[in-house]
Structures are given as C-alpha cells and as structure tokens.
C-alpha cells in the first residue's frame, strides 16, 4: 500500500469566531460507529491541554480515543498505543482544537520536545490533521521549520458580522 503525504491544515481566528463550532460540526458529520470487533472513529477531536507537554498531549489524544489508562505511561509508550489505536479505529482525521496552547508549554525545552513529538507523530500516523486556534497557533508551526513546511495550508477566519 502506497503511503501519501499527510494533509495538514491550520485554521486560526480570534476568540468567538466559531473555530470550535466548526470542528464540532465537522465531527458530527463523521460519528463514531460501534462495530463487532472495534469502534470506528473516522474523525477524532482533541482539545490541546493548557501548558502541554508531549506526555500530556498524547494523554489527551488517548482520552479522546476512549482509552481508560490515558494518564499512565511515558510519551513514547503513549505514542505507541496511539499508533495502534489509530489503525484499529480507522482514524483518518485528527482535529486539534485550542492549538494555541501548543505555544505555551512549561519550558523552552518542553516546547522543542513537543514540536518535535508532533512532527514525528504526524509523520508516523499518516492521518490528516486540522489544528484550530487563536493566531498564536501559527507561531507554533512557524517556530519549527519542518512543521512550517508540513502545514502549508492555512485558513484565517474573521468573526461573523451582520454588516
């Protein structure tokens, strides 16, 4: 089976412009389906935790997948479980909401680790990813040359106005 390049999109907008609503609406069109041997999850919506680390972000992904022991293990252990579950559950699209939190990890070293983890995870998972957040989310992508290249598609939303 030939692997295609990941499709990555970042959507930014000011607070209240409808990013989370847009994500939830998209998710509603592709619901989880319980099957005999697995739960099919075509679209996975994950809220990025505040002050994230690679361990806490991988834990948030596991929690969104419904993995009960999401709080246990190291980032590499959690990442291995995520890869297995993405294949088993048929995850095709990962939506990271509140992506601006990725810009505010506890330390500079944690920031580098987090952006490298994200880059490697995207490379290995072969899923499409949409990151939504405040404009600071673009700084995360721009801070890492390899992420910047991968997130070539950007969409900036304006708040809805009647005029």
């Amino acid at each position: 089976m030939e692997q295609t390049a990941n499709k990555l999109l970042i959507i930014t907008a000011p607070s209240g412009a409808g990013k989370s609503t847009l994500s939830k609406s998209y998710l509603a069109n592709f619901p989880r389906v319980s099957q005999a041997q697995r739960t099919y999850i075509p679209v996975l919506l994950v809220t990025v935790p505040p002050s994230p680390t690679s361990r806490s972000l991988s834990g948030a992904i596991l929690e969104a997948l419904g993995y009960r022991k999401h709080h246990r293990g190291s980032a590499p252990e959690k990442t291995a479980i995520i890869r297995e579950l993405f294949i088993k559950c048929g995850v095709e699209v990962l939506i990271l909401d509140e992506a601006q939190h990725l810009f505010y990890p506890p330390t500079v070293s944690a920031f580098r680790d987090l952006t490298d983890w994200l880059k490697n995870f995207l490379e290995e998972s072969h899923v499409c990813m949409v990151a939504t957040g405040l404009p600071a989310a673009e700084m995360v992508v721009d801070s890492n040359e390899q992420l910047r290249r991968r997130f070539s598609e950007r969409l900036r939303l304006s708040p809805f106005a009647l005029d």
Side-chain angles (χ1 to χ4, degrees), residues 2-95:
E2 182 181 329
Q3 294 293 339
T4 59
N6 297 43
K7 305 256 191 270
L8 308 175
L9 168 67
I10 185 163
I11 301 172
T12 57
S15 182
K19 302 173 299 294
S20 295
T21 301
L22 178 66
S23 297
K24 290 174 185 170
S25 176
Y26 185 79
L27 177 68
N29 287 308
F30 301 95
R32 292 175 184 230
V33 178
S34 293
Q35 300 173 334
Q37 299 296 320
R38 69 173 183 163
T39 298
Y40 176 59
I41 306 173
V43 178
L44 184 68
L45 175 60
V46 177
T47 301
V48 176
S51 296
T53 61
S54 55
R55 185 176 183 276
S56 69
L57 180 57
S58 57
I61 294 170
L62 285 172
E63 184 176 16
L65 284 163
Y67 188 73
R68 292 188 181 138
K69 297 177 185 177
H70 61 88
H71 56 283
R72 294 187 183 161
S74 65
E77 290 168 335
K78 290 179 179 192
T79 304
I81 295 167
I82 293 167
R83 281 195 305 265
E84 288 176 30
L85 289 175
F86 269 31
I87 292 167
K88 181 178 179 183
C89 298
V91 176
E92 297 175 39
V93 178
L94 171 64
I95 302 173

Side-chain angles (χ1 to χ4, degrees), residues 97-143:
D97 196 22
E98 302 293 346
Q100 74 277 359
H101 288 169
L102 296 168
F103 194 65
Y104 303 108
T107 66
V108 173
S109 146
F111 179 74
R112 280 192 224 114
D113 177 60
L114 181 60
T115 56
D116 284 342
W117 179 88
L118 186 59
K119 175 197 59 92
N120 291 333
F121 175 75
L122 291 170
E123 192 70 28
E124 296 167 3
S125 68
H126 304 288
V127 298
C128 298
M129 188 176 117
V130 178
T132 65
L134 298 174
E138 287 195 61
M139 292 190 289
V140 175
V141 172
D142 292 337
S143 71

